[in-house]
Amino acid sequence: MDGMQLLIIWCAVFICVSGEDEGSSCDVTFTVRRGTTNRAIPGQSLTVSCPVKHCGNVLNITWWKLSNTSSYKIIPNTENITIRQEYHKDDLISYLSFNQVSIIDDGLYRCALEHRDESVSHAINISVSDRNIGVKDPEDGGGNKIYSPQ
C-alpha cells in the first residue's frame, strides 16, 4: 500500500468516525413551563419538579429562590427541605420537597445546572397562603385537586 492509498483510507475512517455525531446533537434543556405555579396551605407538604432533557449527561441540578434583593439564593438541603434527582429514559427530574411549607417559602424559584449560570429554568411560583384553601389547582388536568387543611 503506498502513501496515497493509506492517506485515503485514513481520511475515510476519520470522516466515518467524526460523522457519527452529525444530526444527533442534543442540548441540555429545562422543560419547566413558563408561568408554572404551585399552591399550598401553610403546614402542608409540597413537592415541585424540574424536568430536564439530559442528553445522556450526568447532571447536578441546584435550586434557587429569589430573595428580597432581586437576586437568587441557593437552597440547601435542610430538615424541612430535601432535593433529589431521578433519571428517566431521556429526562432527569429534580425535586424540591418541603415537609411543611410556611409563608416564608412563598416566592419564585428556579432550578439550574450546577456551576452554569446560563442554564436555568423558567421561574416557578410557589404560593403559600391560607387563601389557597378550597382553590382548584389549574395545573391538575381534570381540575379536581382542591387545597384543604391537613
Side-chain angles (χ1 to χ4, degrees):
M1 209 180 275
D2 70 2
M4 185 60 136
Q5 289 174 323
L6 190 57
L7 180 62
I8 292 171
I9 290 171
W10 183 85
C11 287
V13 169
F14 178 76
I15 290 169
C16 288
V17 170
S18 68
E20 285 177 355
D21 290 334
E22 287 182 20
S24 64
S25 69
C26 181
D27 293 324
V28 172
T29 308
F30 288 90
T31 57
V32 172
R33 288 190 353 227
R34 187 182 307 270
T36 298
T37 298
N38 290 266
R39 291 180 176 80
I41 298 164
Q44 271 188 326
S45 63
L46 175 68
T47 297
V48 180
S49 64
C50 174
V52 183
K53 180 179 172 189
H54 63 73
C55 302
N57 297 315
V58 175
L59 304 174
N60 190 28
I61 305 300
T62 56
W63 284 85
W64 299 76
K65 181 181 182 192
L66 184 64
S67 72
N68 294 351
T69 60
S70 298
S71 63
Y72 280 87
K73 298 207 184 273
I74 196 162
I75 301 171
N77 279 305
T78 65
E79 244 181 60
N80 189 49
I81 298 172
T82 55
I83 298 169
R84 64 186 170 84
Q85 298 183 161
E86 292 179 4
Y87 282 89
H88 299 275
K89 185 178 177 185
D90 295 324
D91 293 320
L92 161 70
I93 301 178
S94 180
Y95 296 97
L96 174 66
S97 298
F98 298 85
N99 292 328
Q100 291 187 334
V101 293
S102 70
I103 298 297
I104 61 170
D105 298 316
D106 188 87
L108 294 176
Y109 292 76
R110 288 183 185 248
C111 48
L113 289 180
E114 185 174 50
H115 306 299
R116 292 176 63 189
D117 295 337
E118 72 280 359
S119 298
V120 297
S121 71
H122 290 297
I124 299 167
N125 182 15
I126 295 180
S127 170
V128 182
S129 173
D130 287 329
R131 290 185 286 179
N132 288 330
I133 295 173
V135 174
K136 287 190 177 187
D137 182 1
E139 302 288 323
D140 181 29
N144 297 322
K145 181 177 176 183
I146 298 177
Y147 301 100
S148 59
Q150 294 178 336

